[in-house]
């Protein structure tokens, strides 16, 4: 063989042993050579293929497959001939029994001495595995994205500099940022001063849990508008090649949970308060009954004695004192009986506004009101209540006196009446601009004998008696509001729109 022939022989051998199925085509598509792998792949012989057009062979061996041979634009062979540049095209073979396959077919032009394309080598690489992996990975990526996006917990991640790199929909809602806005701020802006640093310190502290992991922690976060929200969070440092590359955190809003806890606590303390009032009531009733009988005798015989004594008798003065104190005791007993609901109310139907005017007129003249401005804010539509009028008058007078006491001589006293048409409830509120009730006394003010006033000034029976009266009249009394700016005590009674018992409902 001549050296030239030897070289050609080598080239053919190289072509034949290429591990990719390959064929050599003329610019018009005629197959001039195929390598061993190509023949193996289609299970044919070189003689069967050589001399045929590539498109015919394609069609014959892959009858269901569409090849882009039709137009000059889509045919990679013609493109390679025209541009004299290699072309690569990925075929998705829908497959028969062998399943889906992908091929990367590369068309490399062989240019002759005159610059014309003489042959094109087409080599076929099976990229099914790569494509399958790609598909699986992108499917997984989509799944992860979906899980993150649809999580009810807020999820956020930041790079080492604190730039936000991930924020799911729940986090957007919690922090009130859109992910785009969040892009422009630093992770530290999502927490009150110093909290982000503290979290990072804990994440890096080997004595707190696993390395780089923050166990469930309660903190406040800060929204876009500066509002602080209590959350429960966990966080983790993400490491890449052993180095910190990012941090990720999961947040759960605690507002609803805390509100429910608070309500539960309130309900529990209300139950305790009711139980306490009931047992105190039984005690008060017992004491009042025991004292009532001897007291009646003291007053009866004392009065008889007083009538019989000469006005000049020096004992008469002492007897006056005894009777005065005995009467005081009788008042206390009366109040105690009212508190323990041992009196029988005389029900009457009357206007709530009339109650305000009547109570005020009974005490209005007193010096008590000297520097007090009285405001009446009364409902313009009629609210009738059914209750023991004189008992309720006593309640309102007590509330007014308490209010005046709290203002130590000067301030504004406001009496308000209102109604809730739908539920048939009337309200009467006594507000002052006084000292307020300290938190620690709130659960005690309705207890009998609880007073903060000087001995001789307060008996501590006003509110407890009022409590009993309201209970007996199917109403309620409570501290509606209190603080350094003053106190509002409210009473609530079943009400109607007219004296015939028409409910509010009917007046709409
Ligand atoms: N309007 C009010 N402002 C501030 N404190 C009040 C008010 N009403 C009641 N209190 C507190 O509740 C306590 C109990 O009131 P009450 O039962 O009427 O007894 P008393 O008036 O004899 O002290 C008062 O001593 C006072 O500490
Ligand atoms: Mg009082």
């Amino acid at each position: 063989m001549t050296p030239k022939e030897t070289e050609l022989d080598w080239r053919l051998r190289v072509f034949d042993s290429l591990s990719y199925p390959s064929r050599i085509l003329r610019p018009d598509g005629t197959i001039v050579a195929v390598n061993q792998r190509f023949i193996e792949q289609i299970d044919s012989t070189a003689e069967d293929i050589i001399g045929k057009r590539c498109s015919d062979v394609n069609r014959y061996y892959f009858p269901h497959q569409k090849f882009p041979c039709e137009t000059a634009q889509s045919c990679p062979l013609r493109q390679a001939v025209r541009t004299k540049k290699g072309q690569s095209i990925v075929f998705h073979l829908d497959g028969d029994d062998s399943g889906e396959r992908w091929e990367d077919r590369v068309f490399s032009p062989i240019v002759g001495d005159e610059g014309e394309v003489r042959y094109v080598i087409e080599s076929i690489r099976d990229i099914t595995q790569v494509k399958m992996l790609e598909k699986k990975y992108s499917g997984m990526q989509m799944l992860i994205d979906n899980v993150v996006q649809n999580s009810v917990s807020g999820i956020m991640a930041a790079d080492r500099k604190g730039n936000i790199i991930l924020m799911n929909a729940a986090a957007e809602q919690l922090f009130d940022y859109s992910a785009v806005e969040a892009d422009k701020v630093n992770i530290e802006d999502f927490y009150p001063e110093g909290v982000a640093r503290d979290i990072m310190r804990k994440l890096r502290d080997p004595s707190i849990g696993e390395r780089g992991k923050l166990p469930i922690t309660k903190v406040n976060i800060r929204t876009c508008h500066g509002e602080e929200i209590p959350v429960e969070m966990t966080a983790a440092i993400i490491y890449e090649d052993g180095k910190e590359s990012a941090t990720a955190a999961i947040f759960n809003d605690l507002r609803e949970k805390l509100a429910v806890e608070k309500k539960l606590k309130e309900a529990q303390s209300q139950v305790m308060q009711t139980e306490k009032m009931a047992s105190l009531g039984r005690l008060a009733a017992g004491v009042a009954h025991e004292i009532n009988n001897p007291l009646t005798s003291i007053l009866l015989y004392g009065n008889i004695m007083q009538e019989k004594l000469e006005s000049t008798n020096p004992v008469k003065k002492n007897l006056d004192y005894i009777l005065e104190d005995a009467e005081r005791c009788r008042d206390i007993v009366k109040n105690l009986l009212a508190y323990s609901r041992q009196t029988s109310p005389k029900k009457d139907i009357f206007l709530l506004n009339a109650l305000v005017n009547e109570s005020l007129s009974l005490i209005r003249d007193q010096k008590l009101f000297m520097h007090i401005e009285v405001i009446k804010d009364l409902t313009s539509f009629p609210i009738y209540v059914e209750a023991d009028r004189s008992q309720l008058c006593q309640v309102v007078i007590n509330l007014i006196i308490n209010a005046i006491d709290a203002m130590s001589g000067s301030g504004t006293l406001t009496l308000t009446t209102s109604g809730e048409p739908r539920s048939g409830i009337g309200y009467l509120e006594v507000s002052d601009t006084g000292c307020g009730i300290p938190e620690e006394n709130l659960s005690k003010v309705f207890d009998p004998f609880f007073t903060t006033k000087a001995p001789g000034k307060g008996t501590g029976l006003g509110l407890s008696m009022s409590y009993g009266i309201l209970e007996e009249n199917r109403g309620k009394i409570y501290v509606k509001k209190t603080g350094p700016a003053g106190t509002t005590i409210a009473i609530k009674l079943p009400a109607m729109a007219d004296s015939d018992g028409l409910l509010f409902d009917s007046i709409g």
Side-chain angles (χ1 to χ4, degrees):
M1 265 197 271
T2 62
K4 202 157 181 162
E5 281 168 342
T6 313
E7 198 199 316
L8 190 64
D9 185 49
W10 268 109
R11 283 190 191 187
L12 284 173
R13 277 196 211 190
V14 169
F15 173 67
D16 211 32
S17 58
L18 281 179
S19 53
Y20 296 141
S22 307
R23 47 188 182 177
I24 300 176
L25 312 169
R26 278 217 182 85
D28 67 358
T30 311
I31 302 169
V32 292
V34 287
N35 74 350
Q36 195 54 38
R37 283 287 295 121
F38 191 92
I39 294 164
E40 278 165 21
Q41 197 189 38
I42 57 171
D43 198 13
S44 183
T45 58
E47 292 72 43
D48 262 354
I49 297 165
I50 289 170
K52 295 202 170 114
R53 296 284 289 265
C54 61
S55 51
D56 295 336
V57 172
N58 286 346
R59 243 175 261 130
Y60 181 78
Y61 287 98
F62 303 97
H64 305 299
Q65 190 63 42
K66 252 186 102 61
F67 287 92
C69 309
E70 280 74 30
T71 68
Q73 249 68 32
S74 61
C75 172
L77 169 67
R78 281 183 269 180
Q79 284 291 320
V81 173
R82 193 174 64 78
T83 60
K84 297 180 188 164
K85 286 203 179 103
Q87 303 289 320
S88 161
I89 184 157
V90 173
F91 283 111
H92 178 208
L93 301 152
D94 260 343
D96 28 46
D97 318 330
S98 52
E100 270 187 312
R101 279 202 315 116
W102 278 268
E103 284 178 358
D104 182 13
R105 293 194 179 202
V106 178
F107 294 79
S108 318
I110 301 171
V111 181
D113 296 339
E114 256 94 76
E116 80 292 4
V117 173
R118 299 195 51 196
Y119 299 103
V120 174
I121 302 181
E122 177 189 6
S123 61
I124 304 168
R125 194 158 64 96
D126 189 326
I127 53 164
T128 306
Q129 250 181 342
V130 177
K131 279 284 177 189
M132 287 294 204
L133 270 176
E134 229 175 56
K135 215 170 141 183
K136 193 168 153 194
Y137 177 75
S138 80
M140 248 162 59
Q141 188 62 38
M142 241 158 73
L143 180 73
I144 293 171
D145 282 353
N146 267 333
V147 169
V148 168
Q149 274 310 323
N150 294 312
S151 160
V152 284
S153 304
I155 300 177
M156 203 151 76
D159 67 12
R160 284 191 56 207
K161 288 184 182 148
N163 302 313
I164 305 302
I165 48 177
L166 171 88
M167 189 176 209
N168 75 346
E172 282 188 16
Q173 207 173 3
L174 181 65
F175 289 93
D176 216 355
Y177 274 97
S178 73
V180 181
E181 291 168 321
D183 222 25
K184 300 187 187 87
V185 287
N186 195 276
I187 190 80
E188 289 194 15
D189 299 319
F190 292 89
Y191 298 95
E193 190 81 32
V195 175
R197 277 172 197 279
D198 194 43
I199 292 171
M200 284 315 292
R201 189 186 54 71
K202 284 183 182 151
L203 275 169
R204 292 179 182 131
D205 186 343
S207 67
I208 304 174
E210 213 180 315
R211 175 177 170 247
K213 297 220 160 73
L214 180 74
I216 294 178
T217 308
K218 280 184 189 169
V219 294
N220 275 3
I221 52 117
R222 195 161 55 186
T223 70
C224 172
H225 301 102
E227 188 195 350
E228 288 192 14
I229 292 177
V231 298
E232 213 167 52
M233 72 172 286
T234 58
I237 296 180
I238 297 164
Y239 297 96
E240 249 170 54
D241 301 329
K243 280 194 202 136
E244 285 182 18
S245 72
T247 47
I250 301 179
F251 306 89
N252 284 312
D253 192 341
L254 280 181
R255 280 175 295 183
E256 208 169 308
K257 193 172 158 203
L258 292 179
V260 170
E261 275 174 13
K262 191 171 163 227
K263 268 208 182 123
L264 195 69
K265 231 174 163 178
E266 276 169 10
Q268 275 169 347
S269 82
Q270 201 153 6
V271 169
M272 270 168 62
Q273 178 76 2
T274 314
E275 276 173 8
K276 183 180 81 177
M277 295 307 249
S279 56
L280 277 176
R282 282 193 294 276
L283 179 72
V287 172
H289 274 302
E290 288 305 316
I291 294 174
N292 218 11
N293 291 341
L295 203 55
T296 314
S297 308
I298 292 170
L299 281 165
L300 180 70
Y301 293 113
N303 278 319
I304 294 172
M305 266 175 80
Q306 205 188 34
E307 273 171 27
K308 289 198 172 148
L309 284 180
E310 294 289 325
S311 56
T312 49
N313 194 324
V315 176
K316 201 171 164 60
K317 191 88 190 136
N318 292 343
L319 195 57
D320 278 346
Y321 291 141
I322 291 172
L323 284 174
E324 225 171 76
D325 277 351
E327 268 164 25
R328 216 169 100 79
C329 286
R330 192 188 51 196
D331 286 345
I332 291 176
V333 166
K334 213 172 85 193
N335 286 340
L336 268 183
L337 286 172
Y339 165 64
S340 55
R341 288 177 271 154
Q342 299 291 312
T343 55
S344 35
K346 249 177 62 249
K347 297 272 174 87
D348 208 0
I349 292 175
F350 56 94
L351 276 168
L352 200 52
N353 287 353
L355 188 63
V356 172
N357 292 325
E358 195 173 319
S359 311
L360 268 178
S361 69
L362 282 171
I363 50 169
R364 190 75 201 245
D365 299 333
Q366 298 191 16
K367 281 200 287 281
L368 223 56
F369 282 92
M370 264 214 319
H371 301 290
I372 304 282
E373 185 192 359
V374 180
I375 297 175
K376 285 196 284 179
D377 181 8
L378 305 181
T379 148
S380 54
F381 62 91
I383 298 172
Y384 286 89
V385 290
E386 188 181 19
D388 184 317
R389 190 171 181 144
S390 70
Q391 275 190 340
L392 277 173
C393 223
Q394 237 177 302
V395 170
V396 178
I397 290 173
N398 263 300
L399 295 183
I400 294 175
I401 293 175
N402 277 351
I404 291 173
D405 284 347
M407 294 188 282
S408 352
S410 69
T412 307
L413 170 77
T414 312
L415 293 143
T416 315
T417 53
S418 59
E420 227 170 57
R422 277 166 176 272
S423 44
I425 293 172
Y427 294 95
L428 191 158
E429 290 174 13
V430 180
S431 309
D432 61 60
T433 53
C435 57
I437 303 170
E439 170 93 38
E440 66 271 22
N441 289 351
L442 270 176
S443 61
K444 300 183 213 154
V445 289
F446 293 103
D447 294 356
F449 302 113
F450 175 81
T451 180
T452 53
K453 294 170 191 171
K457 184 140 198 322
T459 57
L461 284 171
L463 285 180
S464 53
M465 171 212 74
S466 306
Y467 179 89
I469 290 176
L470 263 303
E471 286 282 298
E472 207 155 45
N473 286 278
R474 294 190 300 129
K476 284 261 170 295
I477 179 164
Y478 52 94
V479 181
K480 185 178 174 191
K481 195 175 81 190
T482 189
T487 304
T488 299
I489 310 276
I491 65 178
K492 180 171 148 179
L493 281 165
M496 48 220 148
D498 78 9
S499 51
D500 292 333
L502 196 69
L503 283 174
F504 276 139
D505 280 324
S506 22
I507 57 162

